Amino acid sequence: MTKKFKVGDHVSWNSEAGRVRGRIVRAHTADVRYKGYIHHASPEDPQYEIKSDRTDHVALHRGRVLTKLRN
């Protein structure tokens, strides 16, 4: 079962640079083209668009790699 999140949730995930924190700004439930790649998504397994707390970087991740933080 994939973890479900909603817009506004504060989450963290592991990146090449270490642990990153951010807020979900959008949930994609259909395939989406992002940074030159097609990211597969569905209502059962969405891709979450997350804006980093520290930079303007935006990333797309599945719920299984995210950890919800207390707001």
Side-chain angles (χ1 to χ4, degrees):
M1 173 94 184
T2 301
K3 296 182 210 171
K4 298 287 183 177
F5 298 94
K6 62 184 185 302
V7 172
D9 281 351
H10 196 217
V11 296
S12 71
W13 67 97
N14 197 23
S15 77
E16 313 83 43
R19 204 82 187 150
V20 181
R21 295 172 177 229
R23 291 219 180 259
I24 295 176
V25 294
R26 189 168 177 197
H28 296 275
T29 56
D31 292 354
V32 61
R33 181 177 296 276
Y34 184 73
K35 293 186 178 181
Y37 296 95
I38 300 264
H39 293 265
H40 298 287
S42 68
E44 297 80 28
D45 193 16
Q47 290 268 0
Y48 296 98
E49 194 170 324
I50 310 151
K51 184 172 185 222
S52 170
D53 288 345
R54 296 180 65 188
T55 67
D56 285 333
H57 180 77
V58 175
L60 239 57
H61 292 293
R62 293 190 185 277
R64 63 179 161 254
V65 302
L66 301 175
T67 301
K68 188 172 180 181
L69 302 172
R70 293 182 140 178
N71 289 334

